[in-house]
Amino acid sequence: MLSRTALGVFRLNGQFLAVSEELARPAGLTAAWWQVLGAVLREPQPVAGVARAMGITRQSVQRVADLLVERGLAAYAPNPAHRRAKLLRPTEAGRAAVERIRPGHADLAVRLRDALGEEEFARTAQVLEDLSDALARLESAEP
């Protein structure tokens, strides 16, 4: 079951990355840029916080964050909790880019809901969250 689940998640990840690239491209973003910008839309976060939330390495988030800042889509701000770990926040240009993705994102959400049915779509999201939570608990319990 573990192999079947892992292969299904890997395939799904590839599918989501491909769709995300397609949705992000017209806004001048990549899927990775969109992912990092999306993580800081509500509130600025340090790069390490984005990495933890997304389950990816701090180094890969740092590379994307630096590119976003270089292109004017994000900026670093002082972090009152930590002098060296600056907060990443979107600029107005970054927010506008993410906003341009919303119509395609909403359309895909409707099409997936229609394909799965509302209850099954919600159950699928819950199962994926439960799987992620279970893996996190196992990781934290390891010596």
Side-chain angles (χ1 to χ4, degrees):
M1 286 305 289
L2 178 59
S3 293
R4 180 179 169 199
T5 301
L7 289 173
V9 169
F10 294 153
R11 180 172 183 234
L12 184 61
N13 182 58
Q15 291 169 312
F16 264 111
L17 286 174
V19 167
S20 296
E21 289 291 345
E22 189 177 309
L23 288 172
R25 190 174 300 114
L29 300 176
T30 67
W33 295 8
W34 179 21
Q35 183 180 28
V36 172
L37 275 173
V40 298
L41 281 178
R42 286 200 174 109
E43 67 177 330
Q45 292 188 55
V47 165
V50 173
R52 272 191 305 279
M54 297 296 172
I56 52 183
T57 67
R58 188 199 60 74
Q59 292 84 353
S60 63
V61 174
Q62 187 68 63
R63 280 192 297 274
V64 170
D66 289 344
L67 286 169
L68 291 169
V69 169
E70 182 180 302
R71 286 168 172 76
L73 298 168
Y76 290 114
N79 183 349
H82 195 284
R83 267 187 314 154
R84 288 183 28 211
K86 295 195 181 318
L87 298 174
L88 183 67
R89 65 167 184 78
T91 62
E92 285 307 312
R95 286 184 184 283
V98 171
E99 194 59 37
R100 287 192 296 276
I101 295 170
R102 286 195 196 282
H105 183 268
D107 178 63
L108 178 59
V110 168
R111 290 187 298 139
L112 282 172
R113 183 204 61 209
D114 290 349
L116 289 169
E118 191 147 353
E119 281 185 35
E120 185 65 15
F121 198 12
R123 192 174 76 75
T124 299
Q126 186 63 58
V127 166
L128 290 170
E129 290 166 1
D130 292 347
L131 179 60
S132 179
D133 291 347
L135 284 170
R137 285 193 305 274
L138 289 175
E139 287 173 4
S140 67
E142 290 180 3

